[in-house]
Amino acid sequence: MFSRAIVCLLVSASLGLINGCSQISTTKPPVSKLPVPAATKALNWKKRQAYLAGKPSWNLQSKISLRYKDENLIFGLKWLQRPVNLYIMQISNPLTGALVAKLSRDARGVSLLADNGRTYRDTDEERLLQKQSGLKMPVKGMQYWVRGITSPQYKVDKLVLYNAGRPQSINQAGWKINYASYLNNNFNSAPRKIILTRSTDKVYLKVIAKNWQGI
């Protein structure tokens, strides 16, 4: 099965992967000595949402660490997002850069191109990705969460903001998204390191951004 091929490839790559320096420098949010009024945080958060809503097309190159059930995987992820919920996600071997799978949504629906050359289709991207590759990823929510905003399709259970209005954590759809660092301290800064967890499924997903375009 295709899923075992991906798992074997990514597991072997993760065992040999050596953590290197990121291409993007990290600036951690400063610790403020004085409390910032909640109204100021809310205003900055509103500005952030409006700013990112005006940038529906973006590209992200990242490294993913995934723990799910008995699997510990590391892989490269290149995400090309376009308006009207259209995207291409390329999953690659982190050592060689070889393409392992390509998940995409276009006007015809969702498809996954496997490394065996076969194309699989479904109406739900998360179900398709897990069924054919064994990867548990909240794709529908992640297109918002990776940018540091809430997903409009889910109820916001909890939102904690840094002083500049950037999310410190978001709770939606059973997922907890923690933002460990951003590229800078501006209200519209793109995230640098994101950790997504879902206790019911015991999923741990870490996203390290290596390059952002369009934000």
Side-chain angles (χ1 to χ4, degrees):
M1 280 292 295
F2 167 59
S3 62
R4 298 311 307 166
I6 282 189
V7 167
C8 291
L9 177 59
L10 296 180
V11 166
S12 63
S14 65
L15 290 176
L17 188 65
I18 300 176
N19 291 329
C21 297
S22 171
Q23 297 176 9
I24 299 178
S25 61
T26 300
T27 302
K28 292 185 178 180
V31 177
S32 178
K33 296 181 180 180
L34 297 175
V36 173
T40 301
K41 290 185 181 182
L43 178 60
N44 288 334
W45 167 241
K46 189 173 182 179
K47 288 168 56 181
R48 177 181 181 83
Q49 293 180 92
Y51 173 82
L52 292 175
K55 294 182 175 294
S57 296
W58 47 269
N59 298 345
L60 169 64
Q61 291 184 341
S62 62
K63 184 179 75 174
I64 306 289
S65 298
L66 172 64
R67 294 202 303 263
Y68 175 56
K69 293 185 177 180
D70 297 328
E71 306 291 356
N72 288 277
L73 309 176
I74 296 177
F75 53 93
L77 176 64
K78 184 177 182 180
W79 192 321
L80 294 83
Q81 183 73 34
R82 297 297 176 260
V84 202
N85 199 32
L86 307 180
Y87 62 80
I88 297 175
M89 295 173 58
Q90 298 176 342
I91 300 169
S92 62
N93 183 303
L95 293 177
T96 66
L99 185 66
V100 175
K102 182 172 74 172
L103 179 70
S104 60
R105 174 180 282 277
D106 56 26
R108 297 172 296 175
V110 183
S111 64
L112 187 143
L113 175 63
D115 59 348
N116 61 8
R118 294 186 60 182
T119 298
Y120 302 86
R121 298 187 182 277
D122 201 323
T123 56
D124 186 280
E125 48 264 81
E126 295 177 12
R127 179 174 59 210
L128 177 62
L129 185 63
Q130 185 172 358
K131 181 178 179 180
Q132 299 300 334
S133 70
L135 300 180
K136 178 74 172 180
M137 291 176 58
V139 179
K140 286 175 280 191
M142 279 181 68
Q143 65 176 288
Y144 300 95
W145 298 334
V146 294
R147 291 182 291 157
I149 54 176
T150 55
S151 172
Q153 62 187 316
Y154 302 128
K155 174 187 173 183
V156 179
D157 297 312
K158 187 176 181 180
L159 172 65
V160 179
L161 300 175
Y162 285 116
N163 290 342
R166 301 181 309 274
Q168 181 177 345
S169 65
I170 294 172
N171 286 43
Q172 282 193 291
W175 287 89
K176 183 174 182 179
I177 306 96
N178 285 304
Y179 298 87
S181 62
Y182 285 82
L183 301 188
N184 55 57
N185 292 315
N186 298 331
F187 77 92
N188 58 356
S189 178
R192 163 67 173 77
K193 180 180 179 181
I194 313 164
I195 297 175
L196 302 92
T197 56
R198 185 178 170 94
S199 58
T200 54
D201 299 327
K202 296 183 179 179
V203 183
Y204 174 92
L205 185 67
K206 181 169 67 175
V207 181
I208 302 294
K210 301 179 72 175
N211 183 268
W212 276 106
Q213 294 182 358
I215 292 183

